[in-house]
Amino acid sequence: MLGYTCVGTNDLPKALTYYETLLADHNPNMVMEDPGRMRIYSNGQGGMLMVTKPADGGEATVGNGCMIAIPGGSREGVDALYKKAMDLGSADEGGPGERMPGFYGAYFRDLDGNKICAFHMG
């Protein structure tokens, strides 16, 4: 249903290292790049992730109410992704737990403040 989602950054090299490390278990492959401006990742299983400096040249800011969600594959996968995010310097937005019947999630913010949810349904 989604083609790709974008997260803005003010420090592209730092953000690329963050996402490549965070998503290493999801096999992120670079599928497109404009060096110094943006990079798009895909694992060939649906939506892609673009990490980019804002196109208008302004400062990247966090969208209120915006969030990306990354499937953990299992509750243990959610726990591991959350722990990795914390180890990478993410800000905690709510540790792993069942949020409603059938939905297990953990919330954190990347180094630029973009909100991320690691989740498992079922």
Side-chain angles (χ1 to χ4, degrees):
M1 191 161 81
L2 295 176
Y4 65 92
T5 190
C6 300
V7 291
T9 183
N10 293 303
D11 187 338
L12 187 62
K14 191 173 181 179
L16 294 175
T17 298
Y18 174 88
Y19 278 102
E20 288 173 4
T21 303
L22 180 68
L23 299 174
D25 294 337
H26 291 267
N27 302 313
N29 296 305
M30 181 187 66
V31 295
M32 187 178 294
E33 180 177 40
D34 182 353
R37 191 177 79 78
M38 69 84 167
R39 188 176 291 168
I40 298 177
Y41 298 95
S42 173
N43 66 0
Q45 298 179 355
M48 297 177 286
L49 174 67
M50 176 191 282
V51 181
T52 186
K53 290 181 174 181
D56 67 2
E59 183 178 347
T61 59
V62 178
N64 188 23
C66 297
M67 180 177 70
I68 62 170
I70 302 167
S74 66
R75 287 176 177 231
E76 295 79 15
V78 169
D79 295 347
L81 196 57
Y82 174 81
K83 181 184 181 319
K84 187 182 287 187
M86 294 299 101
D87 291 346
L88 289 168
S90 294
D92 178 24
E93 285 284 320
E98 190 161 355
R99 301 299 194 246
M100 62 186 77
F103 185 89
Y104 187 83
Y107 300 86
F108 51 93
R109 293 195 182 262
D110 73 7
L111 305 178
D112 287 286
N114 296 295
K115 191 169 184 180
I116 301 169
C117 173
F119 76 98
H120 177 68
M121 295 178 68

